[in-house]
């Protein structure tokens, strides 16, 4: 089966909408990933996660994925060069417009699949804003967070994703090996392990900081520990977590149905 929105014909997409297919909208970034990885790292990994997740989910629920929204929120990477970023207002406007376009094409269930940390808070804010008025469901997930502890199982030096690290380098060794400079990965190590979040302050406070606050070369982690075998395992774990999310009926429970159960079936205001 073909799961790529971009490769399908318009009539095929209409048919899939009639089948109530799920649409994965991958969001990512173009930003520096240290001296050894290309700036497309988050975008390429996000595309691969979406493709694999759609293929895994298909047997239980038809699922397709759109081209990656590569323009993310990466202001914190600008000190290192090579980064393309947009403002939060632009990011918000584009994501909302893309969701609207997907819905106008007839699809009711959309998974925003994220592969860049800087997009997390804005995507949650977007869903908080638009969801009360939707006839349908939009869900947001970041693959490594959705996989949880399982994502860290193949890793030696970190519990989950960091940046240009053992995990991302390993996955890029699978997704685009020709773009990985593995001539001296040990030289790029920036030990971080279970260290403090560089955005944290006090006991539970948040503050903005550029990534240069935490690393001299744009890396957080130990790329020296990377292998293609780990990369393949991580891609499978992350995409399976997304597929499980997609195929769980509870994920797509309509808000109006839930509200109706407690209000005698009275539809909520603002539905469109």
């Amino acid at each position: 089966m073909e799961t790529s929105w971009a490769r399908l014909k318009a009539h095929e997409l209409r048919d899939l909408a009639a089948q109530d297919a799920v649409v994965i909208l991958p969001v990512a970034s173009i930003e520096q990933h240290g001296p050894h990885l290309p700036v497309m790292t988050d975008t390429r990994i996000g595309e691969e996660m979406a493709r694999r997740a759609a293929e895994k989910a298909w047997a239980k629920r038809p699922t397709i994925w759109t081209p990656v929204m590569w323009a993310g929120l990466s202001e914190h990477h600008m000190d290192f060069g090579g980064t393309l970023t947009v403002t939060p207002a632009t990011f918000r406007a584009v994501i909302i417009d893309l969701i609207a376009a997907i819905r106008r094409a007839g699809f009711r269930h959309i998974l925003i699949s994220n592969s860049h940390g800087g997009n997390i808070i804005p995507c949650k804010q977007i869903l908080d804003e638009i969801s009360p008025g939707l006839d349908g469901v939009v869900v947001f997930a970041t693959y490594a967070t959705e996989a949880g502890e399982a994502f860290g199982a193949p890793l030696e030096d970190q519990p989950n994703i960091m940046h240009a690290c053992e995990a991302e380098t390993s996955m890029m060794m699978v997704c685009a090996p020709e773009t990985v400079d593995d001539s001296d990965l040990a030289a790029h190590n920036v030990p971080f392990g279970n260290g403090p979040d560089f955005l944290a302050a006090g006991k539970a406070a948040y503050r903005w900081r550029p990534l240069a606050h935490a690393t001299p070369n744009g890396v957080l982690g130990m790329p020296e520990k990377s292998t293609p075998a780990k990369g393949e395992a991580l891609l499978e774990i992350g995409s399976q977590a997304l597929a499980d999310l997609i195929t769980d009926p509870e994920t797509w429970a309509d808000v109006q149905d839930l509200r109706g159960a407690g209000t005698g079936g009275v539809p909520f205001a603002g539905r469109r």
Side-chain angles (χ1 to χ4, degrees):
M1 71 287 186
E2 179 59 70
T3 61
S4 167
W5 179 298
R7 295 176 63 87
L8 289 161
K9 281 82 171 174
H11 69 89
E12 294 171 327
L13 287 161
R14 291 195 300 270
D15 290 344
L16 285 164
Q19 296 174 47
D20 202 22
V22 173
V23 176
I24 303 174
L25 171 59
V27 297
S29 67
I30 296 291
E31 64 184 28
Q32 73 80 27
H33 271 74
H36 63 292
L37 291 180
V39 297
M40 72 167 179
T41 292
D42 286 349
T43 294
R44 180 65 188 92
I45 292 173
E47 178 183 64
E48 187 68 13
M49 286 290 179
R51 181 187 68 80
R52 292 187 184 213
E55 292 178 355
K56 291 178 187 302
W58 186 276
K60 294 183 178 179
R61 180 81 186 270
T63 304
I64 56 177
W65 55 280
T66 72
V68 182
M69 165 55 177
W70 59 262
L73 294 165
S74 299
E75 179 63 36
H76 51 301
H77 288 275
M78 293 299 286
D79 289 340
F80 295 102
T83 297
L84 299 175
T85 192
V86 295
T87 65
T90 298
F91 180 82
R92 173 184 170 280
V94 172
I95 296 300
I96 289 174
D97 282 353
L98 289 173
I99 290 170
I102 293 168
R103 294 187 66 249
R104 289 177 66 188
F107 297 94
R108 297 180 61 253
H109 294 159
I110 302 167
L111 171 63
I112 301 176
S113 176
N114 177 53
S115 54
H116 169 58
N119 296 339
I120 294 174
I121 293 175
C123 282
K124 290 181 178 180
Q125 291 172 331
I126 289 168
L127 264 61
D128 284 349
E129 177 182 347
I130 69 172
S131 293
L134 289 181
D135 180 11
V137 179
V138 181
V139 176
F140 170 76
T142 300
Y143 67 85
T145 306
E146 186 63 24
E149 292 182 1
F151 196 78
L155 302 173
E156 297 178 49
D157 193 65
Q158 58 192 76
N160 206 291
I161 202 79
M162 288 196 285
H163 189 73
C165 55
E166 177 186 357
E168 289 192 325
T169 304
S170 293
M171 289 187 285
M172 285 301 285
M173 286 177 169
V174 176
C175 293
E178 73 283 0
T179 68
V180 180
D181 181 359
D182 61 359
S183 59
D184 191 4
L185 291 176
H188 310 316
N189 290 342
V190 177
F192 203 65
N194 293 311
D197 185 337
F198 76 97
L199 298 174
K203 295 180 180 178
Y206 170 86
R207 62 183 179 182
W208 185 89
R209 284 289 188 273
L211 195 68
H213 182 76
T215 171
N217 65 354
V219 175
L220 290 175
M222 307 285 280
E224 178 187 14
K225 304 290 183 69
S226 306
T227 68
K230 290 178 183 177
E232 180 62 29
L234 293 168
L235 290 165
E236 284 294 293
I237 291 168
S239 60
Q240 186 63 59
L242 295 177
D244 290 344
L245 179 67
I246 290 166
T247 57
D248 182 355
E250 179 60 28
T251 300
W252 310 109
D254 286 331
V255 174
Q256 54 266 38
D257 293 341
L258 296 173
R259 288 182 174 176
T263 60
V266 178
F268 64 92
R271 178 177 174 183
R272 63 179 182 269

